[in-house]
Amino acid sequence: MTRKKFPGWAIALIAVLVIVLIGGVAVIGPYNTMVGYDEQVSTAQANIQTQLQSRLDKINELMPAVQGSMNQEDDIYKDIAALRSNTPGINMDADGKLTIDKNASIKELENADAASSQMIRDINIAQEAYPELKSSDLMKDFMTSVEGIENRISYARDNYNEDVQAYNVYIRSFPHNIAASLFGFSPKEKFEASSAAQNAPVVKFD
Protein backbone atom coordinates (compact mmCIF):
# COMPACT_ATOMS: atom_id res chain seq x y z
CA MET A 1 0.00 0.00 0.00
CA THR A 2 1.49 3.28 -1.07
CA ARG A 3 1.19 6.45 0.99
CA LYS A 4 -0.30 9.52 -0.56
CA LYS A 5 2.10 12.39 -0.83
CA PHE A 6 1.06 15.90 0.10
CA PRO A 7 0.99 18.10 -2.93
CA GLY A 8 3.68 20.74 -3.10
CA TRP A 9 1.22 23.59 -2.69
CA ALA A 10 -0.09 22.11 0.59
CA ILE A 11 3.41 21.82 2.03
CA ALA A 12 4.14 25.40 0.99
CA LEU A 13 0.89 26.60 2.57
CA ILE A 14 1.67 24.84 5.85
CA ALA A 15 5.15 26.36 5.87
CA VAL A 16 3.71 29.82 5.31
CA LEU A 17 1.16 29.34 8.10
CA VAL A 18 3.88 28.20 10.51
CA ILE A 19 6.01 31.23 9.65
CA VAL A 20 3.04 33.57 10.10
CA LEU A 21 2.18 31.95 13.44
CA ILE A 22 5.74 32.25 14.71
CA GLY A 23 5.95 35.83 13.46
CA GLY A 24 2.64 36.70 15.10
CA VAL A 25 3.75 35.30 18.44
CA ALA A 26 7.07 37.15 18.12
CA VAL A 27 5.25 40.45 17.49
CA ILE A 28 2.35 40.13 19.93
CA GLY A 29 4.63 39.77 22.96
CA PRO A 30 6.64 42.97 22.33
CA TYR A 31 3.47 44.83 21.31
CA ASN A 32 1.76 44.07 24.61
CA THR A 33 4.89 45.05 26.52
CA MET A 34 5.12 48.35 24.65
CA VAL A 35 1.47 49.07 25.43
CA GLY A 36 2.23 48.47 29.10
CA TYR A 37 5.24 50.80 29.06
CA ASP A 38 3.22 53.43 27.20
CA GLU A 39 0.47 53.29 29.82
CA GLN A 40 3.03 53.69 32.59
CA VAL A 41 4.35 56.84 30.93
CA SER A 42 0.83 58.22 30.50
CA THR A 43 0.06 57.55 34.16
CA ALA A 44 3.30 59.21 35.24
CA GLN A 45 2.49 62.29 33.14
CA ALA A 46 -0.97 62.46 34.71
CA ASN A 47 0.68 62.37 38.14
CA ILE A 48 2.80 65.39 37.19
CA GLN A 49 -0.36 67.22 36.12
CA THR A 50 -2.04 66.36 39.42
CA GLN A 51 0.84 67.64 41.52
CA LEU A 52 1.21 70.82 39.47
CA GLN A 53 -2.50 71.43 39.97
CA SER A 54 -1.98 71.04 43.73
CA ARG A 55 0.61 73.81 43.54
CA LEU A 56 -1.79 76.03 41.58
CA ASP A 57 -4.59 75.29 44.06
CA LYS A 58 -2.46 76.66 46.89
CA ILE A 59 -1.56 79.71 44.79
CA ASN A 60 -5.26 80.23 44.02
CA GLU A 61 -6.10 80.11 47.72
CA LEU A 62 -3.40 82.64 48.56
CA MET A 63 -4.07 85.13 45.77
CA PRO A 64 -6.89 87.14 47.43
CA ALA A 65 -4.66 87.85 50.43
CA VAL A 66 -1.65 88.61 48.23
CA GLN A 67 -3.54 90.97 45.97
CA GLY A 68 -5.12 92.70 48.94
CA SER A 69 -1.80 93.31 50.68
CA MET A 70 0.86 93.92 48.03
CA ASN A 71 1.53 96.79 45.68
CA GLN A 72 0.76 96.32 42.02
CA GLU A 73 4.40 97.02 41.23
CA ASP A 74 5.50 93.82 42.98
CA ASP A 75 6.73 90.90 40.89
CA ILE A 76 3.79 88.82 42.13
CA TYR A 77 1.40 90.84 39.98
CA LYS A 78 3.59 90.26 36.96
CA ASP A 79 3.64 86.53 37.75
CA ILE A 80 -0.15 86.43 38.03
CA ALA A 81 -0.58 88.21 34.71
CA ALA A 82 1.89 85.89 33.02
CA LEU A 83 0.30 82.74 34.41
CA ARG A 84 -3.16 83.85 33.34
CA SER A 85 -2.34 85.10 29.88
CA ASN A 86 0.60 83.44 28.21
CA THR A 87 1.83 80.34 30.01
CA PRO A 88 1.39 77.20 27.88
CA GLY A 89 -0.17 74.41 29.92
CA ILE A 90 -2.05 76.73 32.30
CA ASN A 91 -5.65 77.86 31.80
CA MET A 92 -7.97 80.11 33.76
CA ASP A 93 -11.47 78.86 34.58
CA ALA A 94 -14.70 80.87 34.75
CA ASP A 95 -13.99 81.81 38.37
CA GLY A 96 -10.54 83.16 37.56
CA LYS A 97 -8.74 80.17 39.07
CA LEU A 98 -5.54 78.85 37.51
CA THR A 99 -5.76 75.27 36.27
CA ILE A 100 -3.44 72.85 34.50
CA ASP A 101 -4.54 72.05 30.95
CA LYS A 102 -5.55 68.38 30.99
CA ASN A 103 -4.38 68.04 27.38
CA ALA A 104 -1.04 69.74 27.96
CA SER A 105 2.00 68.25 26.28
CA ILE A 106 5.08 67.47 28.32
CA LYS A 107 6.73 70.66 27.02
CA GLU A 108 3.72 72.70 28.13
CA LEU A 109 3.89 71.08 31.56
CA GLU A 110 7.55 72.07 31.75
CA ASN A 111 6.52 75.69 31.10
CA ALA A 112 3.74 75.48 33.68
CA ASP A 113 6.16 74.03 36.21
CA ALA A 114 8.76 76.74 35.65
CA ALA A 115 6.26 79.62 35.76
CA SER A 116 4.38 78.48 38.87
CA SER A 117 7.65 77.61 40.61
CA GLN A 118 8.94 81.13 39.96
CA MET A 119 5.75 82.56 41.43
CA ILE A 120 6.31 80.69 44.69
CA ARG A 121 9.86 82.03 44.82
CA ASP A 122 8.57 85.57 44.36
CA ILE A 123 5.98 85.01 47.10
CA ASN A 124 8.80 83.88 49.36
CA ILE A 125 10.69 87.10 48.69
CA ALA A 126 7.74 89.49 48.70
CA GLN A 127 6.05 88.33 51.89
CA GLU A 128 9.05 89.52 53.90
CA ALA A 129 8.01 93.10 53.11
CA TYR A 130 4.43 92.57 54.33
CA PRO A 131 4.33 91.48 58.00
CA GLU A 132 0.53 91.37 58.05
CA LEU A 133 0.44 88.96 55.13
CA LYS A 134 3.33 86.96 56.51
CA SER A 135 1.49 86.35 59.78
CA SER A 136 -1.89 85.54 58.18
CA ASP A 137 -3.47 82.10 58.51
CA LEU A 138 -3.55 81.75 54.72
CA MET A 139 0.18 82.30 54.42
CA LYS A 140 0.88 79.94 57.31
CA ASP A 141 -1.22 77.25 55.64
CA PHE A 142 0.56 77.93 52.36
CA MET A 143 3.91 77.56 54.09
CA THR A 144 3.03 74.24 55.70
CA SER A 145 1.62 72.81 52.47
CA VAL A 146 4.11 73.96 49.86
CA GLU A 147 7.09 71.88 50.97
CA GLY A 148 5.16 68.62 50.67
CA ILE A 149 3.75 69.67 47.30
CA GLU A 150 7.19 70.52 45.95
CA ASN A 151 8.57 67.17 47.09
CA ARG A 152 5.71 65.35 45.37
CA ILE A 153 6.28 67.32 42.17
CA SER A 154 9.97 66.41 42.24
CA TYR A 155 9.12 62.75 42.79
CA ALA A 156 6.54 62.79 39.98
CA ARG A 157 9.08 64.30 37.56
CA ASP A 158 11.70 61.70 38.46
CA ASN A 159 9.21 58.85 38.20
CA TYR A 160 8.06 60.06 34.77
CA ASN A 161 11.63 60.23 33.48
CA GLU A 162 12.37 56.73 34.75
CA ASP A 163 9.29 55.37 32.96
CA VAL A 164 10.24 57.22 29.75
CA GLN A 165 13.76 55.81 29.98
CA ALA A 166 12.46 52.24 30.30
CA TYR A 167 10.02 52.75 27.41
CA ASN A 168 12.61 54.32 25.10
CA VAL A 169 15.22 51.64 25.78
CA TYR A 170 12.70 48.90 25.06
CA ILE A 171 11.39 50.25 21.75
CA ARG A 172 14.90 51.03 20.49
CA SER A 173 16.29 47.58 21.30
CA PHE A 174 16.42 44.87 18.63
CA PRO A 175 14.13 43.15 17.73
CA HIS A 176 11.56 45.29 19.59
CA ASN A 177 12.38 48.23 17.34
CA ILE A 178 10.87 46.31 14.41
CA ALA A 179 7.54 45.87 16.20
CA ALA A 180 7.71 49.49 17.42
CA SER A 181 8.09 50.69 13.85
CA LEU A 182 5.23 48.49 12.64
CA PHE A 183 2.81 49.72 15.31
CA GLY A 184 3.88 53.36 15.47
CA PHE A 185 5.59 53.46 18.87
CA SER A 186 8.07 56.34 18.88
CA PRO A 187 10.51 57.66 21.51
CA LYS A 188 9.13 60.01 24.16
CA GLU A 189 10.73 63.14 25.59
CA LYS A 190 11.83 63.32 29.19
CA PHE A 191 10.62 66.07 31.50
CA GLU A 192 13.30 68.76 31.53
CA ALA A 193 12.77 70.87 34.63
CA SER A 194 14.25 74.35 34.59
CA SER A 195 17.28 74.94 36.79
CA ALA A 196 15.09 76.93 39.18
CA ALA A 197 12.37 74.28 39.35
CA GLN A 198 14.87 71.50 40.04
CA ASN A 199 15.49 73.03 43.46
CA ALA A 200 12.13 72.98 45.19
CA PRO A 201 11.11 76.52 46.19
CA VAL A 202 10.26 76.79 49.87
CA VAL A 203 8.40 79.58 51.60
CA LYS A 204 10.33 80.41 54.75
CA PHE A 205 9.17 82.08 57.93
CA ASP A 206 11.60 83.40 60.50
Side-chain angles (χ1 to χ4, degrees), residues 84-98:
R84 287 178 171 174
S85 63
N86 58 6
T87 300
I90 294 181
N91 296 328
M92 187 171 63
D93 65 17
D95 296 324
K97 302 295 185 182
L98 299 170

Side-chain angles (χ1 to χ4, degrees), residues 15-72:
V16 169
L17 291 175
V18 169
I19 293 172
V20 170
L21 179 61
I22 294 174
V25 171
V27 168
I28 290 173
Y31 173 80
N32 289 337
T33 301
M34 285 184 285
V35 169
Y37 277 129
D38 187 65
E39 284 299 316
Q40 287 180 354
V41 172
S42 296
T43 299
Q45 181 170 336
N47 288 339
I48 292 177
Q49 292 174 319
T50 298
Q51 298 309 324
L52 289 178
Q53 184 60 56
S54 294
R55 180 195 277 164
L56 290 186
D57 288 343
K58 300 310 296 184
I59 291 174
N60 286 330
E61 291 175 9
L62 189 65
M63 281 308 94
V66 168
Q67 291 175 309
S69 301
M70 295 184 178
N71 296 322
Q72 293 190 7

Side-chain angles (χ1 to χ4, degrees), residues 67-78:
Q67 291 175 309
S69 301
M70 295 184 178
N71 296 322
Q72 293 190 7
E73 291 78 15
D74 288 324
D75 287 341
I76 296 300
Y77 277 86
K78 298 176 184 177

Side-chain angles (χ1 to χ4, degrees), residues 40-200:
Q40 287 180 354
V41 172
S42 296
T43 299
Q45 181 170 336
N47 288 339
I48 292 177
Q49 292 174 319
T50 298
Q51 298 309 324
L52 289 178
Q53 184 60 56
S54 294
R55 180 195 277 164
L56 290 186
D57 288 343
K58 300 310 296 184
I59 291 174
N60 286 330
E61 291 175 9
L62 189 65
M63 281 308 94
V66 168
Q67 291 175 309
S69 301
M70 295 184 178
N71 296 322
Q72 293 190 7
E73 291 78 15
D74 288 324
D75 287 341
I76 296 300
Y77 277 86
K78 298 176 184 177
D79 293 338
I80 294 171
L83 285 173
R84 287 178 171 174
S85 63
N86 58 6
T87 300
I90 294 181
N91 296 328
M92 187 171 63
D93 65 17
D95 296 324
K97 302 295 185 182
L98 299 170
T99 63
I100 293 295
D101 185 350
K102 293 181 179 179
N103 298 316
S105 67
I106 202 65
K107 285 297 182 185
E108 289 172 333
L109 291 178
E110 290 172 8
N111 291 329
D113 181 31
S116 55
S117 177
Q118 184 59 50
M119 187 167 189
I120 291 180
R121 292 180 185 280
D122 287 341
I123 290 173
N124 186 28
I125 295 171
Q127 53 91 23
E128 294 293 338
Y130 298 90
E132 183 177 341
L133 175 63
K134 183 177 180 179
S135 62
S136 70
D137 290 339
L138 271 175
M139 183 61 82
K140 290 178 180 178
D141 177 68
F142 183 84
M143 180 271 292
T144 56
S145 301
V146 70
E147 184 174 0
I149 291 172
E150 296 307 320
N151 288 337
R152 290 193 294 274
I153 290 174
S154 178
Y155 176 81
R157 289 192 304 242
D158 291 343
N159 187 60
Y160 172 84
N161 285 342
E162 289 175 3
D163 287 341
V164 168
Q165 175 76 9
Y167 167 87
N168 285 344
V169 168
Y170 188 85
I171 68 167
R172 288 172 174 170
S173 301
F174 181 83
H176 308 142
N177 58 336
I178 298 174
S181 178
L182 286 173
F183 293 108
F185 288 92
S186 57
K188 297 181 182 294
E189 295 182 353
K190 290 186 177 182
F191 192 105
E192 299 291 342
S194 66
S195 57
Q198 286 177 2
N199 299 314

